[in-house]
Amino acid sequence: MVTDGRGVMKLGQMVRLSRRTILLAGSAWAFAGVGECNVSTQTTARPSLPIPPELRADAAGSIKLEAQTGTMRFLGDRETATYGVNGPYLGPALRLRRGETVTVQVTNSVPENITMHWHGLIIPGAADGGPHQVIAPGKSWRTQLSIDQPAATLWFHPHYYPSTAQEVIKGLAGLLIVDDEEVGRLPLPSRWGVDDIPLIIQDRRFTPDGQFFDRMNAIAVTNGYVGDIALVNGARYPEARTARGWIRLRILNGSNARGYKLSVSDNRSFYVIASDGGLLASPVELKELPIHAGERFEMLIDGRDGRAFDVVTLPVAQDIMRLPPFDGPLPLVTIRPDGADGTGRLPSSLLVLPALPRQLPPLSQELVMNMFRDTRGMMPLKRARLPEMIQSGKTDPAVVARVVNLIVSDSALSEAEQLSSNGVNRKPFSLERIDFSAARNKGLRWRISEGPDLMPHPVHIHGCQFRIISRNGKPPEPERAGWKDVAPISNGGVSEILVRFPYSASRDDPYMAHCHILEHEDSGMMAQFTVP
Ligand code: C2O
Ligand code: CU
Ligand code: CU
């Protein structure tokens, strides 16, 4: 990995998985003849899937991150002003091992306050990087992370209140992968960028001059960010050449608000092996997988036949998220498993997950997601006849134009209006108010629900990995029955979870519980709590 003297990676360090770099990278590589590729997708020049470089602690146990400004050409010709971590857009994939203690230094070289939060990491409040741990421009924040949790695909992103949404849109986010002995003993594909492929899925919308659209208006604080371009690792419909064999995809829905319904173009099955907080008990065979904002899944796909396939997203239930190009199956990335033979395979069982106790603890906390501005955000969509269009199943350009006009032409809310738009337990978030306290190191049963709004709310809790006990009274889907840090609810839904907080979080450094639709979070749908 290329680093300068301070261990900070230079701009433009994203490794591109091209045939050339693979050939240069390893002598073991050989390629199947061109004729053997199944050309189900066009062969015109396509961007290669950028693979975020892995970043491990140096010999002294330290990791240096720098949030910086940059530019990217997402649209081909126009330059977009971006933020990134140790690079122009997104960041490296931090790799930490269970049992390891590392010192992380985060330097803020962007012109606004940020924080850096380790989403899914089980650590004390003081190391969590929540909204209280502000890093001013030009300043650094040092913290120690002691890793003691199972192998998992986590991520990091800023958590500055109230501009997390805009900072993530510009590009501040990256993967954080925890490794451990148990996962190391399994025969899973694990060669980074070869048969272990990270996919960070995000949607974006651009202004006519090529900049990110990121306005916090009434549509945004109610519906969340509605992009019209899908990016994978910062590239538009890229292509990855991988080993021929079982391919592991580590998928992060890093979108501000959008949910996806993932599927494979030739309808082959895939096998979910891990959720937010680590491995499932055994692989779950699926053809479609809904993934909500902030969630992660790892899946294995059989690419032993060497034939190319697309990872596709299918239309979801939320009306506004079905505007084109999300009104039909949309290919996100092409995988061409036509390299040298892969070595990983699909085990029949993965891990012994602790069973949920038969005797559940009493309910100790309710979290109700509230929307106070529902009507102002939803009525215009009704007037534009969006629900009718979705019901009819036919995309009408006139309706689409009216809705897009609403999304982009409504002016930004004042800060006071923004911060009072949403809430948890009937109160908009306040940095000054601790909402509740949770017992330490005790199994707790919490209930998560929403008001009458029927919106999807992927609810995330800091300082823990939890288990979903039930969703709408039923057991969770098998792919959500393992460790989770996001509990999705929608359509008036209710989830119960079993959660435990091993570390403390003080009044000065409380944990957060919030909707991971970042526009909801930034407009009040967040609560903070202490753990003694
Ligand atoms: Cu991914 Cu509180 O955040
Ligand atoms: Cu988090
Ligand atoms: Cu929400």
Side-chain angles (χ1 to χ4, degrees):
M1 186 178 314
V2 187
T3 60
D4 68 15
R6 296 165 301 148
V8 174
M9 265 168 312
K10 300 256 175 65
L11 285 173
Q13 85 300 46
M14 285 288 241
V15 180
R16 291 197 176 252
L17 238 200
S18 66
R19 176 177 290 228
R20 198 174 117 80
T21 51
I22 291 169
L23 282 170
L24 290 172
S27 53
W29 282 92
F31 283 86
V34 176
E36 283 179 57
C37 296
N38 167 345
V39 190
S40 61
T41 44
Q42 75 233 40
T43 46
T44 51
R46 297 264 306 276
S48 298
L49 176 72
I51 301 291
E54 298 171 280
L55 180 59
R56 295 182 164 82
D58 64 16
S62 108
I63 289 183
K64 294 200 168 78
L65 299 179
E66 183 182 8
Q68 52 191 231
T69 58
T71 57
M72 291 282 284
R73 289 179 185 270
F74 299 102
L75 303 172
D77 49 343
R78 279 157 296 175
E79 282 205 336
T80 306
T82 57
Y83 290 173
V85 177
N86 298 4
Y89 186 76
L90 297 176
L94 306 187
R95 292 210 77 141
L96 305 174
R97 277 197 79 81
R98 185 170 200 171
E100 174 178 51
T101 296
V102 300
T103 305
V104 185
Q105 180 177 312
V106 183
T107 300
N108 180 5
S109 302
V110 304
E112 59 182 303
N113 286 341
I114 64 165
T115 79
M116 204 53 81
H117 167 61
W118 324 105
H119 177 131
L121 210 55
I122 308 174
I123 40 164
D128 191 47
H132 295 264
Q133 287 142 354
V134 177
I135 318 170
K139 295 281 191 269
S140 293
W141 176 60
R142 269 171 159 264
T143 193
Q144 280 208 336
L145 303 176
S146 290
I147 310 305
D148 188 16
Q149 69 189 88
T153 300
L154 314 177
W155 62 305
F156 59 91
H157 59 78
H159 220 299
Y160 183 70
Y161 192 75
S163 33
T164 297
Q166 285 154 331
E167 293 178 357
V168 173
I169 288 171
K170 291 196 179 72
L172 294 183
L175 292 169
L176 189 167
I177 295 174
V178 174
D179 295 298
D180 72 0
E181 270 166 35
E182 275 197 84
V183 80
R185 272 198 295 269
L186 292 166
L188 299 168
S190 50
R191 290 177 296 161
W192 190 246
V194 175
D195 55 14
D196 184 349
I197 313 290
L199 300 178
I200 304 172
I201 306 174
Q202 301 174 306
D203 66 323
R204 293 289 184 269
R205 178 180 294 276
F206 293 87
T207 60
D209 62 345
Q211 303 311 305
F212 288 124
F213 176 81
D214 65 355
R215 198 179 312 140
M216 286 291 269
N217 57 23
I219 295 281
V221 299
T222 43
N223 299 278
Y225 189 78
V226 185
D228 59 355
I229 283 177
L231 298 176
V232 181
N233 300 353
R236 235 177 127 170
Y237 190 28
E239 181 179 57
R241 309 196 82 111
T242 69
R244 176 196 285 252
W246 284 95
I247 307 301
R248 178 190 201 163
L249 302 179
R250 296 186 192 250
I251 302 175
L252 160 64
N253 182 350
S255 308
N256 279 33
R258 179 178 295 279
Y260 301 87
K261 196 195 280 181
L262 301 177
S263 153
V264 179
S265 54
D266 60 7
N267 207 32
R268 75 179 84 181
S269 293
F270 51 85
Y271 300 83
V272 180
I273 58 162
S275 57
D276 301 336
L279 292 169
L280 302 173
S282 52
V284 177
E285 180 179 355
L286 290 176
K287 297 220 187 248
E288 284 178 11
L289 173 65
I291 180 169
H292 302 271
E295 282 191 310
R296 288 87 62 211
F297 285 106
E298 293 179 35
M299 59 167 74
L300 257 56
I301 304 188
D302 188 353
R304 286 175 295 182
D305 62 6
R307 283 169 43 199
F309 58 86
D310 282 346
V311 177
V312 166
T313 184
L314 305 173
V316 298
Q318 195 185 351
D319 286 356
I320 201 169
M321 295 302 179
R322 298 175 66 136
L323 293 176
F326 297 96
D327 51 343
L330 179 71
L332 299 173
V333 56
T334 300
I335 308 286
R336 287 188 184 282
D338 60 0
D341 285 349
T343 49
R345 60 184 174 79
L346 179 72
S348 56
S349 70
L350 299 162
L351 184 87
V352 182
L353 265 184
L356 295 181
R358 228 173 275 175
Q359 187 74 50
L360 289 165
L363 194 68
S364 57
Q365 186 63 46
E366 285 222 48
L367 296 170
V368 184
M369 304 297 121
N370 302 122
M371 303 184 71
F372 304 130
R373 186 178 275 284
D374 229 21
T375 347
R376 193 176 151 194
M378 298 296 187
M379 275 317 290
L381 300 180
K382 289 208 180 108
R383 279 199 299 269
R385 296 180 182 262
L386 176 65
E388 278 167 62
M389 182 187 93
I390 298 301
Q391 284 235 310
S392 79
K394 273 192 249 91
T395 301
D396 175 347
V399 175
V400 172
R402 281 201 295 270
V403 176
V404 168
N405 188 50
L406 285 169
I407 294 170
V408 301
S409 67
D410 204 0
S411 52
L413 298 172
S414 72
E415 190 168 83
E417 287 174 311
Q418 178 186 325
L419 300 190
S420 59
S421 292
N422 293 305
V424 173
N425 296 345
R426 306 231 50 87
K427 288 188 208 122
F429 179 71
S430 165
L431 281 163
E432 323 298 329
R433 181 190 72 235
I434 299 294
D435 293 287
F436 58 93
S437 143
R440 186 148 87 95
N441 227 355
K442 236 180 112 185
L444 304 171
R445 182 157 66 97
W446 287 14
R447 179 184 289 151
I448 297 165
S449 64
E450 63 186 331
D453 59 72
L454 306 184
M455 272 284 294
H457 299 292
V459 178
H460 168 59
I461 304 168
H462 291 208
C464 64
Q465 286 290 333
F466 55 75
R467 303 283 292 279
I468 299 179
I469 300 167
S470 65
R471 183 170 181 188
N472 302 333
K474 293 193 221 82
E477 316 93 299
E479 69 275 16
R480 285 188 177 77
W483 294 112
K484 292 283 296 163
D485 55 51
V486 177
I489 55 170
S490 60
N491 274 313
V494 183
S495 272
E496 289 205 352
I497 62 166
L498 182 66
V499 61
R500 177 188 297 269
F501 300 96
Y503 300 106
S504 60
S506 70
R507 295 190 68 86
D508 292 336
D509 302 301
Y511 287 137
M512 303 291 137
H514 60 91
C515 176
H516 220 285
I517 290 182
L518 300 181
E519 289 73 21
H520 287 176
E521 171 190 332
D522 276 343
S523 57
M525 202 178 286
M526 178 154 67
Q528 52 182 5
F529 62 101
T530 55
V531 176

